[in-house]
Amino acid sequence: MPTAKILAKHVREAAKIWDRDPGFRGFRNGTTYEVRIGRKSYPPKAIASYANELAGNGILSPRDFAGAWEGKWHKQLENAGFRPEKKPDRTASMTSKRAELPMELAGLDEGAEFAEGAQHYAQHITQERNPKVVKLAKAQRWRDKKVFECDVCKFDFAKTYGERGAGYIEAHHTIPVHLMKPDHKTKIADIALVCSNCHRMLHTMRPLVDIPKLIAMRARAAKS
Ligand SMILES: [Zn+2]
Ligand SMILES: [Zn+2]
């Protein structure tokens, strides 16, 4: 857990990193909070992650930001002079974009949380099949990117398989089961979207790896 204080300069530097590489380490723009830095808004968790690293607190990945700790990251940013705010209600702008969503994904309310218990691996899988949170994660991705690319390797089923692959992507729950409380609420931000190969790699290799590590492994393998 973080110890050194994060400062305004760390936060500003973190924002620059995000500008250069949005989505680094698997962080995504969340649905609930944003933090204003300069003229732009940023995802607080991603900024907190990098700011902590710059402050000397080591590397924090999306899974370190599981639910209950949210208040802590917000406080850190606030102490550095940047206060995370609830995102404005975007229901109105969602409506006009619904027409662009694949049919079965439209008409979902975003930002919802789902009470789910998880004690063992089977439950991890079950969570990934929670149709509602998975649909919401996909709907959000489609709205933001208009493409379903693997978070690890960028594989796009639609590109490779055409019509048949359109809309296909698998959901991976990024919070390790052993770090979950029984009443853990799965958020959309906990769901990564991955291709079947990468998903298998995330699940079958021991020790288990997270998405940033798998991305690094692919990069290393590609070079060798
Ligand atoms: Zn992949
Ligand atoms: Zn998975």
Side-chain angles (χ1 to χ4, degrees), residues 169-191:
I169 191 87
E170 295 183 8
H172 175 64
H173 198 276
T174 56
I175 315 265
V177 170
H178 69 277
L179 293 179
M180 273 185 220
K181 305 232 168 71
D183 61 347
H184 175 81
K185 288 180 200 299
T186 297
K187 297 191 211 78
I188 292 172
D190 298 340
I191 301 290

Side-chain angles (χ1 to χ4, degrees), residues 119-157:
Q119 301 296 330
H120 51 72
Y121 180 74
Q123 265 174 298
H124 171 104
I125 301 289
T126 309
Q127 282 187 323
E128 293 179 346
R129 296 191 180 149
N130 175 323
K132 195 160 179 196
V133 72
V134 166
K135 270 189 183 177
L136 285 168
K138 287 177 71 176
Q140 184 183 308
R141 178 69 57 92
W142 188 261
R143 190 199 63 207
D144 293 345
K145 308 256 172 165
K146 298 288 180 283
V147 65
F148 288 136
E149 277 179 346
C150 173
D151 286 345
V152 177
C153 73
K154 308 282 180 219
F155 184 87
D156 178 353
F157 283 89

Side-chain angles (χ1 to χ4, degrees), residues 17-35:
I17 307 267
W18 182 265
D19 284 339
R20 277 202 299 273
D21 184 17
F24 72 91
R25 279 188 204 143
F27 282 103
R28 293 185 293 281
N29 278 305
T31 51
T32 323
Y33 288 97
E34 61 190 1
V35 60

